[in-house]
Structures are given as structure tokens and as C-alpha cells.
Amino acid sequence: MMKTLTTLFTSLIVTAAFCAPAHAEDEKLAVVASFSIIGDFAEQVGGDRITLRTLVGPDSDAHVYEPRPADAMALARADIILVNGLQLEGFMDRLIEASQTDAPITTVTDDADILNDPNGGHYHYIDGKAIFHAAPNDPHAWQSVANAKVYVENIEQAFCAADAEGCPTYQANAEAYLDDLTALDAEVRATVDAIPEDRRVAVVAHNAFRYFERDYGITFLSPQGVSTESEASAADVASLIREIREKRAAAVFAENISDARLVEQIASEAGLELGGTLYSDALSSADGPAPSYIDMMHYNVETLATAINNG
């Protein structure tokens, strides 16, 4: 992939050289976000003072994303690049190198309360080969609203560093949004608290909800690890079915970024119904039920509560 990206960028570099950075052209920060959830945070903080390019869009999986030539061009022209880090975006380091961007890279999970990856890492596929990346941490930190606040604060600081004139606007936008997130956290807790404690066990496609589990008290079982690039074996599925029965899981859920066939099989073998689709690693499109982070968290907890209480 590195060779491919370098070749693609070579064909773009001449064009990029004659294009002034977006910030110089229209006084807006040219921001690139690695995937849709970070893109939403950037929009909330930046408002009208930024132009935003999100690489991995709605309903798409950052774990397995394959960059395009336009992505290298976007990075080459960016004023700021926002990434999750924790090895969520396996493509990002190579794309940044290929683009030869000078933009500062902000890792928005810095100072967040991070969980360990129980498997010690996961696989990324590069040029068709499975390569194991040792990653001690679980990258899905946004599933904790408390961590989402850290994302927002890091983005605010990055925008202020790049655009001192706009800093009061970024600070005001961030403050208002942080208040919304505080309210969201209370709403999520209230909804979960209304679910009987002995019913708070759900099954999902991959292990993307451990932060939600830690903060809000719903246990999630999964046949896959923290990356969708891992594959569940027959033994993994059999072990999960036993665990579902032992822990009396109440419902099985598909994810918007994953093929539902595996969880449909699991639901059938466990004698459970599919409880709906949860938004794990990406937002929905604008006309879907989860076009923003706050919408996503509301939708997920309501979907969980409805299916578990009716299961």
C-alpha cells in the first residue's frame, strides 16, 4: 500500500504545489478528520471557521479503509489533521507519509481514559497480507461520553493554536457543546438505569463497546476483537454461544459498519432475535438515525433499552 500511495501522490504533487493552502485562500482552517465521528466533533467546534474533509465517511469502517488519491491531496493541503490514534486507522501513517503534508497531526484521544485491548493488538491487512499490530489499547474511546469531551477539548486547543483570531469562537462553540455532552451523559445513564440489572447483557459483532460497558453498565459479548479485521472462528462462535447462555444475554445487535450475517447466525443458534442495528465506529448518513455523535448515542441506548426490555 505504501508503494501505491507514493505513486499516487507523485502524480498529484505538481498540482498540489500550485494550490495555496485553504486557510490562506478563504481564512478558513482546512481540517481533515480521519473518520465521521471525529468529523462531527470538528464541525461542532469549528463551525463556520473551518472547511472539513472527512476521510472515512458515514457507515464506513476505519479499520479496513483503503485510501484514495484524493485523500493524499486533502492531507497535502490541510492546515490541521485530526486522528483518533490507538491504531484505529491502520492506513493513516502511510497516507500521511505519502502526502508529504506539513500540517500538524492532533491525536484527539490524548489524555482520554483509555482501556487496554484484552487481546494485546489486532490485524491490519496491507497489500493483501495480514500483519499483526501490537496495540495495548482499545481505540473505541468515543463510546464514553466523558472521553468524547476530551476529544472536543483537544480539537479546540488544536484550532486555537492554528487560528488565534478564531480562538474565542472555538472556545465558545466547545463550551456549548460540552454542556450538550454533559446532558447526553445524564440521559444515557438514566436510560440504562431503567433496564433491570440482570438483563443488561447484549451481543454485538465486534468488541467496540467496552467503554460504554465501563461507563454505563451494559455487558457486551462479541465473537470478534476490537478490530473488524479479525475473523471469528467456529470455536469463537461456539464459545460465544455458551457465554450467551451462561450470562443470559437478552438481545443480539448488528452494527452499521459490519455484515449482519454472523450476528444473524449467532442469534439463531442462541435462540434470540436481532434487536436492531447499533452505530459503533461510524455515524449514519444525514438522512439516517445517527447523523451526529449525540444522535448516535441517543439512538444506540434507546435501541439497546427497547430490545433488552422486550426480549
Side-chain angles (χ1 to χ4, degrees):
M1 184 176 290
M2 179 64 199
K3 181 178 179 181
T4 301
L5 287 173
T6 302
T7 301
L8 290 172
F9 185 78
T10 299
S11 68
L12 296 170
I13 190 65
V14 174
T15 302
F18 289 98
C19 295
H23 185 46
E25 290 177 347
D26 55 19
E27 300 304 319
K28 291 188 176 185
L29 284 179
V31 178
V32 174
S34 61
F35 74 111
S36 58
I37 293 170
I38 294 177
D40 181 51
F41 293 149
E43 286 188 310
Q44 300 299 328
V45 176
D48 293 338
R49 292 193 68 88
I50 69 168
T51 58
L52 177 68
R53 168 68 179 271
T54 300
L55 300 182
V56 186
D59 294 314
S60 298
D61 186 356
H63 291 291
V64 298
Y65 181 72
E66 295 184 4
R68 301 170 296 174
D71 297 334
M73 177 66 79
L75 264 61
R77 300 191 62 196
D79 294 314
I80 294 177
I81 299 168
L82 305 175
V83 301
N84 187 79
L86 306 177
Q87 297 196 8
L88 173 73
E89 310 99 331
F91 65 91
M92 202 68 194
D93 287 346
R94 298 185 305 280
L95 180 62
I96 288 169
E97 183 176 351
S99 73
Q100 301 180 17
T101 182
D102 293 326
I105 314 297
T106 296
T107 302
V108 295
T109 52
D110 284 351
D111 298 322
D113 187 1
I114 301 302
L115 288 170
N116 290 335
D117 178 350
N119 296 318
H122 50 270
Y123 286 91
H124 288 299
Y125 286 84
I126 301 174
D127 294 334
K129 296 180 180 179
I131 297 176
F132 184 79
H133 286 266
N137 300 314
D138 183 336
H140 304 92
W142 62 85
Q143 291 290 348
S144 158
V145 176
N147 279 340
K149 291 182 175 182
V150 176
Y151 282 46
V152 170
E153 289 164 351
N154 285 332
I155 291 169
E156 174 204 327
Q157 292 169 13
F159 288 179
C160 282
D163 175 19
E165 183 179 342
C167 190
T169 298
Y170 304 135
Q171 290 173 332
N173 290 346
E175 183 177 358
Y177 188 57
L178 290 170
D179 288 343
D180 291 341
L181 292 178
T182 297
L184 171 66
D185 184 69
E187 291 160 5
V188 171
R189 291 181 188 280
T191 301
V192 174
D193 287 347
I195 302 171
E197 287 190 29
D198 63 350
R199 301 280 294 164
R200 298 177 192 174
V201 182
V203 182
V204 290
H206 87 294
N207 212 352
F209 294 93
R210 293 175 65 242
Y211 290 93
F212 195 105
E213 178 175 324
R214 180 194 68 187
D215 285 14
Y216 305 113
I218 292 180
T219 297
F220 291 91
L221 310 178
S222 170
Q224 289 179 291
V226 300
S227 174
T228 56
E229 290 184 305
S230 62
E231 293 185 5
S233 66
D236 293 330
V237 173
S239 177
L240 177 62
I241 298 298
R242 289 193 297 272
E243 192 174 14
I244 288 170
R245 291 169 178 159
E246 289 169 1
K247 296 186 177 180
R248 300 172 61 195
V252 179
F253 298 89
E255 294 177 33
N256 67 314
I257 63 165
S258 301
D259 191 314
R261 285 177 293 182
L262 177 59
V263 291
E264 288 171 350
Q265 173 195 342
I266 290 167
S268 176
E269 293 186 22
L272 295 172
E273 297 290 330
L274 271 183
T277 298
L278 300 180
Y279 287 79
S280 55
D281 294 22
L283 303 177
S284 72
S285 59
D287 58 354
S292 73
Y293 175 77
I294 289 177
D295 290 333
M296 180 190 80
M297 295 297 285
H298 275 142
Y299 180 83
N300 281 351
V301 74
E302 293 294 344
T303 300
L304 284 162
T306 298
I308 291 173
N309 286 329
N310 293 338

